[in-house]
Amino acid sequence: METPRLAVGAASRPPPPTPRFRRRRFPRPRGGVHCFPFARAARPVLLTRCSSSSSSREGNGDSRGKPRRESSSTVRLDVDADSDQVPSLADEGDVGELFRLAQRNILYINKQRLMAMEELKKLQDENNLLLEEIQVLETEMQGIPLEAAQSLSFSELLLRIDTMVISGMISMAEASDLREKVVTNRSIIQSAFSDIHHKPNTELLSELRLFLRKPIEKPLHIVHICSEMYPIASSGSLSTYVASLSCEIQKKGNLVEVILPKYTSINVDGIHGLRRAEAEYESYFGGVWHKNKIWTGTSSGVGLVLIEPSQLYYFSRDMLHGYPDDFERFSYFSRASLDYIVKSGKRPDIIHIHNWETAIVAPLFWDIFAHQGLGNTRILLTCQDLNSECLEEPNILEMCGLDPNKLHRPDRLQDTNKTHLVNILKGGIVYSNKVILMSSTDSKDSLIHGSRHGLQSTLTTHKEKISVASYGLDGELWDPSKDIFLPRRYSANDIEGKSICRQALRRRLRFNGDSSIIVGCICDDNSDIHSLKEAVHVALRRNSQVIIMEKLGSVVNSTLQALKGEILGDKIAFVEAYDESLAHLIYAGSDIILCSSFEDPSLQTAMKAIKYGSVPVQLNFPSDESRTMTLHIGIGRLRMGWLGVRHGT
């Protein structure tokens, strides 16, 4: 068979000797992803060029890719580095290389397409979330609250049943049965069938029949008596716990109401339809019946009742709590709440009380109110912190109508260690039907036998009615992938935003450099100044940058003032006024977050730090050596991690 010849122009020449291949880098082509087949190659393309064994190179050729005559038996293909022209390859080996190159580019483009589809899916999810938020805002701007919109859906459902009868889809008997079940289970129906506008009658009827065939439990009526609730009155984790729990339980078709004190500093913007009731009622305290004003409203669809004493000024103060007469204030509120429930004719299934502030409700209920039409009601106590117990003189119980002689006993309210005092939290544990202890790290046994409180014997006696639950965290408010306060949102799958937040935090606090570890701390009343000062010194000695911001309260402010006078330098920043947006940025931009303890019932600092990808370090260690060692190890490991990232390991 005749050997094929290479034709250049119109001339035909004898075939060249068997070529020797030498690999040459081909420049990256210009253009976007559509310049196939050279679109965004994953690495520089190696192109084979031909040359003969002859070392003589003569002749002049065009540098734009035209073949240049070198000898009678050699054809050489040159490509200018700046040329956009795709060369023509004339050897079978070169064609194979081009084919393999095209394959690699196809695979690379397909990989990029899949990545783009994933990114598009994320953007679509974010877009849907924003559209839902916009829909709620537009509804409220039109003067239709969310509750009213749900009511409109409920009314539309009843009217759609009418059209089903007229069209002959269902009989009048079935329609009557459907209407009765829908009205009876209105709260559940409203949440399950909130969006029916675009559904045809056939689909809606099928879903309605299937839903109503399921056994529906009788909804519960739950009343919270508590000292705070987000966003109306908030100073710690209790407020977010009450708000989130109330919304979730109500979504399941139960009726939930919350009774709060009417503080002067209350956030009225967090209450929809706040109004003062025309009627007043009386409650007993200190041997006298006192008049109380009633305020009502809703928050996220949950009914609110705010009690305001007419003559006493227990709640006309700057802070929610932290005063010497706190027991008088909250025992008045507890008694007034129970008087309100009885006089308004409520018959709740559960009265949910929280911490020592409303723990006195339990003995009040069983000694005074259970026989006033509330025999089927049960008491549930949630305790966020066993170390906050409230010890008082027994005679002070008389103010709210209790008998000190009856309650000052070891099996009731008498404190185990200080037997001459009564323990208010102990009374709540003894008299409640169920008790929930909040802890994210401890089991029931470790909580019962904890060494820092004197409730071991009481908790052991009532062990069967005790449950343990983890601290809740508001996923909408404290989530870096949804956080509205961050310059760039991020998640565990996309952490680039954390670096951007770190840079934004440095700019806001005017820190220099970008290689230092950032140590953040948000103080509260539980922060130990000695531990905090030692931790700050350790961080500064390791060339870290430190941010300290107070939460609330004059006690914390004085602590920061003392630290500010002792620790100076351009690597530490003090923020004396709490800023919500800056708090979110501190969690997102810091590498280490100092916290009072991992339990941290007031600020939930450790949980927020982990959520935002920061390392929580406990301040209140049993010894200074443990705390210092932990901080040294934390900073050291972070530095090693940074060096590894920089060197590609």
Side-chain angles (χ1 to χ4, degrees):
M1 181 176 179
E2 185 179 356
T3 305
R5 302 189 176 188
L6 178 65
V8 179
S12 298
R13 297 179 179 84
T18 303
R20 183 178 60 196
F21 294 104
R22 187 170 60 189
R23 304 181 76 82
R24 174 183 177 187
R25 291 188 178 274
F26 187 75
R28 193 182 188 93
R30 299 178 183 176
V33 295
H34 304 292
C35 297
F36 179 85
F38 300 97
R40 292 192 179 179
R43 53 182 179 147
V45 180
L46 297 177
L47 182 65
T48 303
R49 72 178 182 184
C50 304
S51 66
S52 71
S53 59
S54 175
S55 60
S56 64
R57 304 192 177 200
E58 299 177 353
N60 298 324
D62 192 341
S63 62
R64 300 294 293 177
K66 297 178 181 179
R68 182 171 59 188
R69 176 77 178 270
E70 298 199 359
S71 69
S72 61
S73 60
T74 303
V75 175
R76 181 174 161 203
L77 185 62
D78 285 341
V79 180
D80 190 352
D82 296 328
S83 174
D84 290 338
Q85 179 181 352
V86 178
S88 60
L89 303 178
D91 190 87
E92 291 181 1
D94 297 325
V95 173
E97 179 69 19
L98 180 61
F99 179 74
R100 288 189 293 273
L101 171 63
Q103 283 184 318
R104 287 198 299 270
N105 279 282
I106 290 171
L107 293 174
Y108 179 78
I109 292 172
N110 187 53
K111 180 181 178 182
Q112 296 297 315
R113 181 181 65 84
L114 293 175
M115 293 174 61
M117 290 176 64
E118 292 180 1
E119 187 66 25
L120 178 61
K121 179 65 168 57
K122 291 180 182 179
L123 292 174
Q124 288 175 341
D125 292 341
E126 292 181 1
N127 185 48
N128 292 335
L129 181 62
L130 289 173
L131 287 175
E132 291 177 2
E133 294 177 355
I134 291 172
Q135 185 178 4
V136 173
L137 291 174
E138 288 179 346
T139 303
E140 294 178 350
M141 289 177 64
Q142 293 171 1
I144 306 175
L146 189 58
E147 297 87 346
Q150 292 177 344
S151 180
L152 290 174
S153 298
F154 176 76
S155 301
E156 182 183 355
L157 179 60
L158 293 175
L159 294 174
R160 292 282 289 274
I161 294 175
D162 296 345
T163 62
M164 294 175 191
V165 179
I166 295 172
S167 63
M169 291 180 61
I170 58 176
S171 64
M172 296 180 64
E174 185 180 3
S176 178
D177 184 52
L178 286 176
R179 289 192 195 95
E180 182 180 355
K181 290 180 178 178
V182 166
V183 172
T184 303
N185 303 284
R186 175 169 182 167
S187 57
I188 304 176
I189 292 292
Q190 280 187 170
S191 58
F193 294 89
S194 58
D195 185 17
I196 62 173
H197 185 68
H198 300 289
K199 291 183 179 180
N201 281 349
T202 53
E203 181 183 353
L204 180 59
L205 178 60
S206 176
E207 293 180 1
L208 194 58
R209 283 172 172 170
L210 181 63
F211 182 81
L212 293 176
R213 281 198 198 104
K214 300 177 182 177
I216 300 176
E217 298 180 355
K218 177 182 177 295
L220 295 174
H221 182 190
I222 302 166
V223 175
H224 290 268
I225 301 177
C226 51
S227 58
E228 54 187 272
M229 175 185 177
Y230 183 85
I232 297 120
S234 176
S235 66
S237 60
L238 174 61
S239 62
T240 54
Y241 171 77
V242 172
S244 302
L245 182 64
S246 300
C247 291
E248 289 302 316
I249 291 179
Q250 182 144 298
K251 284 179 183 178
K252 296 182 181 297
N254 303 292
L255 174 60
V256 182
E257 296 173 317
V258 179
I259 302 178
L260 292 167
K262 175 67 166 59
Y263 299 104
T264 302
S265 57
I266 207 165
N267 177 23
V268 295
D269 294 333
I271 306 174
H272 177 75
L274 178 63
R275 61 182 294 273
R276 178 184 166 185
E278 298 178 0
E280 294 184 351
Y281 77 100
E282 292 184 338
S283 63
Y284 178 87
F285 193 75
V288 180
W289 289 89
H290 299 270
K291 287 187 176 182
N292 297 284
K293 302 172 185 176
I294 305 170
W295 297 77
T296 60
T298 60
S299 177
S300 301
V302 176
L304 299 177
V305 176
L306 287 79
I307 295 176
E308 179 184 10
S310 298
Q311 289 89 22
L312 302 176
Y313 300 95
Y314 282 141
F315 305 108
S316 302
R317 304 179 186 181
D318 296 333
M319 298 187 298
L320 304 187
H321 50 74
Y323 298 100
D325 62 343
D326 273 354
F327 175 72
E328 291 183 29
R329 299 170 65 226
F330 291 110
S331 61
Y332 177 91
F333 165 68
S334 298
R335 173 68 194 242
S337 299
L338 289 172
D339 280 318
Y340 170 79
I341 290 174
V342 169
K343 294 184 178 182
S344 62
K346 294 181 184 295
R347 299 294 183 266
D349 298 290
I350 297 172
I351 294 179
H352 196 161
I353 57 179
H354 304 267
N355 297 343
W356 75 260
E357 284 86 353
T358 55
I360 198 66
V361 166
L364 276 171
F365 177 84
W366 290 112
D367 281 7
I368 300 174
F369 290 92
H371 306 293
Q372 300 183 37
L374 299 175
N376 294 325
T377 302
R378 296 296 178 261
I379 304 296
L380 170 63
L381 167 67
T382 295
C383 181
Q384 307 272 330
D385 184 9
L386 284 172
N387 297 307
S388 181
E389 303 172 38
C390 185
L391 304 181
E392 296 290 341
E393 294 288 341
N395 293 335
I396 201 170
L397 297 175
E398 293 179 337
M399 298 188 71
C400 55
L402 293 172
D403 184 358
N405 297 322
K406 183 179 178 181
L407 299 178
H408 191 212
R409 291 166 38 180
D411 61 335
R412 297 191 180 177
L413 272 68
Q414 185 181 38
D415 188 66
T416 305
N417 298 323
K418 299 179 180 180
T419 56
H420 63 288
L421 300 177
V422 291
N423 188 320
I424 305 304
L425 182 59
K426 177 182 176 180
I429 295 171
V430 171
Y431 278 86
S432 294
N433 299 97
K434 292 288 290 184
V435 177
I436 298 177
L437 304 180
M438 305 297 296
S439 176
S440 301
T441 57
D442 295 321
S443 64
K444 182 196 291 189
D445 289 335
S446 60
L447 285 172
I448 289 175
H449 301 292
S451 59
R452 292 184 295 170
H453 58 75
L455 297 170
Q456 294 94 328
S457 59
T458 303
L459 294 173
T460 302
T461 302
H462 299 275
K463 183 177 181 179
E464 297 303 319
K465 66 181 182 183
I466 293 175
S467 301
V468 178
S470 298
Y471 284 110
L473 190 66
D474 190 339
E476 297 297 322
L477 183 63
W478 295 100
D479 185 346
S481 65
K482 304 176 183 178
D483 201 321
I484 61 174
F485 296 108
L486 302 184
R488 169 75 177 272
R489 300 174 186 177
Y490 61 95
S491 65
N493 299 322
D494 180 16
I495 61 172
E496 183 182 354
K498 187 166 179 67
S499 299
I500 296 174
C501 292
R502 187 184 294 112
Q503 296 170 5
L505 181 60
R506 283 197 172 100
R507 287 194 300 269
R508 183 162 178 176
L509 299 175
R510 299 180 181 178
F511 281 148
N512 297 321
D514 59 355
S515 60
S516 298
I517 300 294
I518 298 180
V519 179
C521 178
I522 299 179
C523 302
D524 65 346
D525 294 338
N526 297 319
S527 301
D528 179 56
I529 183 170
H530 174 70
S531 302
L532 179 60
K533 183 168 66 175
E534 180 65 25
V536 169
H537 281 302
V538 171
L540 293 177
R541 284 198 298 268
R542 297 299 298 269
N543 199 34
S544 300
Q545 296 170 331
V546 181
I547 308 122
I548 302 177
M549 183 170 73
E550 72 160 322
K551 173 60 176 171
L552 290 171
S554 58
V555 176
V556 180
N557 193 35
S558 62
T559 300
L560 287 185
Q561 290 292 346
L563 275 176
K564 191 174 182 180
E566 295 182 24
I567 304 175
L568 302 175
D570 58 354
K571 292 188 176 182
I572 184 168
F574 293 89
V575 183
E576 298 179 10
Y578 181 78
D579 186 309
E580 183 74 16
S581 62
L582 180 56
H584 286 250
L585 189 58
I586 289 174
Y587 281 109
S590 297
D591 302 289
I592 291 176
I593 295 290
L594 303 178
C595 54
S596 301
S597 69
F598 289 149
E599 289 297 311
D600 193 12
S602 60
L603 294 180
Q604 300 173 299
T605 305
M607 291 184 64
K608 293 173 184 175
I610 294 172
K611 188 82 173 177
Y612 281 74
S614 303
V615 180
V617 173
Q618 183 175 346
L619 283 175
N620 298 338
F621 270 103
S623 66
D624 291 343
E625 293 180 0
S626 301
R627 177 179 58 255
T628 303
M629 184 182 300
T630 302
L631 192 55
H632 273 295
I633 292 173
I635 295 176
R637 286 182 176 175
L638 280 173
R639 289 195 182 282
M640 290 176 64
W642 278 22
L643 290 173
V645 170
R646 288 173 180 168
H647 290 86
T649 60

